[in-house]
Amino acid sequence: MIAPSSAQSWLKGGSESHLARAISLEFRWGRSKMMCSRMRFRNALGSRLFRWCSRDKHTSVRKLLEVDGISERSKLLNKVPVLMGYSNTQYLMEQERVRKESATELISVLKEIDFAEISAKFPCIKIGDSSPIELYDDSAGPSPANVNDLSISEESSLITQHISGEPAVDGEVCPELLADATTADGNVLDKSKRCLPGEPAFVTEACPESLADATSPDNNILDKDIRSLPGTTSKQYRKLEDGGFHTIRKLLQHFPRTYADLQNPQGLIEDGQYIMFFGTVISSKGVRIRSTLGFVEVVVGCSIVEAKLSSSDVSCNSGAEQKQRIHLHLKKFFSGQRFSSQYFLNCISSKHKEGDIVYVSGKVKKVLSSGHYDLKEYTIDKLEEEEQQSTLLDGKPYPIYPSKAGLEARLLGQSISRALKMLTPDIDPIPPEVLTEFNLANLFDAYMGIHKPKNRDEADFARRRLIFDDFFYLQLGRLFQMLEAVGTRVEKEELLYKCENHELNAVGVDQWSPLANKLLKALPYSLTASQLNAVKEIIWDLRRPVPMNRLLQGDVGCGKTIVAFLACMEVVNSGFQAAFMVPTEILAVQHYEHLTSLLEKLDGDECKPNIALLTGSTSTRESRIIRNGLKTGEISMVIGTHTLIADKTDFSALRISVIDEQQRFGVIQRGRFNNKLYTSSSKLSDENTSADEASDSETFMAPHVLAMSATPIPRTLALALYGDMSLTQITDLPPGRQPIETLALEGNDAGFETVFQMMRDELMDGGKVYLVYPIIEESEHLPQLHAAKADFDSIKQKFEGYPCGLLHGRMKGAEKDEALGSFRSGETRILLATQVIEIGVDVPDASMMIVMNAERFGMSQLHQLRGRVGRGGKKSRCVFLSSTSSTLPRLKVLENSSDGFHLANADLVMRGPGDLLGKKQSGHLPEFPIARLEIDGSILQEAHLVALKILGTSNDLSLFPRLKVELSMRQPLCLLGD
Ligand SMILES: Nc1ncnc2c1ncn2[C@@H]1O[C@H](COP(=O)(O)OP(=O)(O)OP(=O)(O)O)[C@@H](O)[C@H]1O
């Protein structure tokens, strides 16, 4: 590309030929920059020439052009084409357009110019450094059908690079392109051999070595750089890379969001409906309304099946099916002088030709004449490739891709098609026997089937395999990491055995330790069946020679705490220690009080273990005493917050760590806890201070981990299901529980009136009410939010006679305990609180909860909050008040679901499973949520079995080198903190 200054340099010569050359250069520069708009060319060239001519030193030019005054602009412009050898501007433009269409001519034009000479003579002339300016969103990109869509700047820069022998500026060029450009007969660029879009010829002819390379079995095609994708321009590569598609795998894993049935809508089309249509372009024209406004209208004709038709509308009637022909009008307006020129509008409208088969989607708006509709906010895609058209004709499902990073669907679709062509049937790293055994598609067929299915069944079969892969590599990775961490072969086998055998291994109550048995007997209730099974299973695990890593999952209020207490007592009874870590001080105090009150009921003082509470609010003196007690082994069990993982807290013989509401702790925190525990245990063995008779290896063993969660975050959920954690579920609720009546209301005057009336009724009925607020104090920035402190007085007034309490995170530990204690004892009947009560707070007779501005909380949070009521025998109610009516539907979901697992699943789908093998805790929106645990559980199970089978055959995957490579490609085998 030639910089403008070059033209000025040519002008310095002052001769006619120099001037012609200058104009020629200027024209090319101007055209490449301006997409050949005649108007802009004239303007730009005219003003530039004028500037030159008006300068004194360019009198010679003026003379040459015979322009007398600078006002005679049009005269000057008419001279220019003549000097360039054309009769007038119109003709010049016409000729140049023809030139543009012929790459051969273009080369000859460019070859006329001796770039080396220009560069040498005029250092100010830079070759190939200007990027083309996009004047409008050419979303379609270079059309596969028309290679000339490549901008001249791009093409000329490629060729220029070749001629000047300089490296590519804009990206790699297929070597053949350059080779071809230098052929002796020159001047002709064989398009069939260029790396240009939509040219399959390239794949087979032009770059055979690159294809051979890609298809070589020992070359991992999937992890090839995206730039190995054939038939793609450097601009497209850049776009793909910017969209995160750095490898072929990334591209192929951009799965269709859905498939469209290649059938147009049936029945009545209503205004405002968002509909997809397939049809044929009937016309496409550009209309200039005035000098600054124009539009392009594409009319698409479609056949739809109409139920009730007037006879005039019916164009064909095949049996019972009546088809109606409708016309969709797709209009795009352009404003501004530049974009409303007829030439420009014609350029745009020519993109759609009569007879093109297109796929359009958008919002339908009826127009006056029957059978005609405007399509608003539309997208239009041409079904260009033969296979796409055959998709339409054969009634194959048509994949619809989710948009990504602003990449146009068409480019994505094309690139995926090209990537598919690179694949070979031997890309699958999973052994074929496994595929046969589990009835899985081969990976090659799976990619083909998901992107180009012949029918829905094929797409489903492919999807199944791809979901399998997601789960399989996840588990293979986790198990591989675990096996790496375990020393001996026996331990590895033991571990695999544990993972493989999910049958309930239990230790009967009669074999429990005396302490656990005594606690069980001291309970004021009987354990439910699943609570009992959970304890049996955990105790069985505690007696295994490998550390337990178990998740105890059960809905809010199902009674997990007592299960964990019993497990702790089992360990404490053998002289080991237990640590119980909770996320809040309130919860630590509650658990401590609960356990001590239960232990008080035990017969005989001699067996009562020494329990301590250690939180941030514990005084320094007391903390020192507790820490000392833990170090010496005097204290058997400690309940506390994350102070338990502080460096200075040491244990003498820690054997179990319970992490309550474990999703509240980050991966690193939990990892620190585990490491700490392990260190403590090892230290202990060095010092030989163990009171236990266990063998050395047992003493060295890392402590058991029992994590508890009511609403696992997606990451935990996925890990628990088939990661390295075993899962124990409590599936029933204690007897006498009644479902919580849930109501979602808009928090307007009427809504509040209803709620306050319900509250009055509840209080009169002897109930206790939580009022939950999103913030403590009113905020200027968020005036719509209700605040706990601000509402305190008005609630007190409104409910005179019913004492109110206040509980929020900014209160001191003792104040919080007091507020909760008063509510528990019934001293206060209304508790205004923030989300500090969200987890674990247990006031069994609290019977009503009202959540203000409920949309501010996440679904799982709301489920947890709701779990604070309905923990006793009294019928409870929960009201979620939304700030606006628009946020109400989301809250309504909670009206119908009281299943934390289901809600966590909904979260999983919304947030994605997160980076399961990394340290990233939070989820992210998935590119394509291909797997749903709710429905894909069986695939998950199979994947788990296959992973175990493979690792059972070869612990270090040495017998499956391709799987090992695949695993490392998918997930770096970084060790988790936990
Ligand atoms: N089998 C049972 N029968 C009757 N009540 C029970 C039983 N098990 C537990 N409870 C009581 O149910 C209430 C809730 O138990 P707990 O606090 O252990 O629930 P949780 O599962 O930890 O709930 P959250 O996830 O909300 O913390 C407590 O008051 C507890 O004493």
Side-chain angles (χ1 to χ4, degrees), residues 525-526 531 556-561 661 710 734 737 840 842 868 871:
Y525 46 77
S526 315
Q531 273 176 317
V556 271
C558 69
K560 296 181 287 293
T561 318
E661 302 296 344
R737 294 277 172 87
D842 183 40
R868 299 311 107 210
R871 296 169 84 89

Side-chain angles (χ1 to χ4, degrees), residues 67 75 227 262 525 653 883 954:
V67 178
K75 249 189 187 176
R227 284 182 182 259
L262 297 181
Y525 46 77
S883 312
S954 173

Side-chain angles (χ1 to χ4, degrees), residues 523-529 531 552-563 565 587 590-591 594 598 660-661 708-711 730 732-737 837-845 863-864 867-868 870-872:
L523 291 178
Y525 46 77
S526 315
L527 291 187
T528 63
Q531 273 176 317
L552 176 60
Q553 199 260 331
D555 217 339
V556 271
C558 69
K560 296 181 287 293
T561 318
I562 190 61
V563 171
F565 282 168
L587 203 51
Q590 181 182 291
H591 283 349
H594 186 188
L598 287 175
D660 195 5
E661 302 296 344
M708 302 205 289
S709 183
T711 45
I730 300 184
D732 49 14
L733 289 175
R737 294 277 172 87
I837 60 152
E838 179 191 329
I839 24 171
V841 169
D842 183 40
V843 181
D845 54 353
H863 177 66
Q864 275 277 358
R868 299 311 107 210
R871 296 169 84 89

Side-chain angles (χ1 to χ4, degrees), residues 707-729:
M708 302 205 289
S709 183
T711 45
I713 56 164
R715 178 190 152 76
T716 319
L717 181 65
L719 282 177
L721 277 168
Y722 288 106
D724 59 342
M725 276 180 155
S726 322
L727 179 69
T728 298
Q729 281 182 295

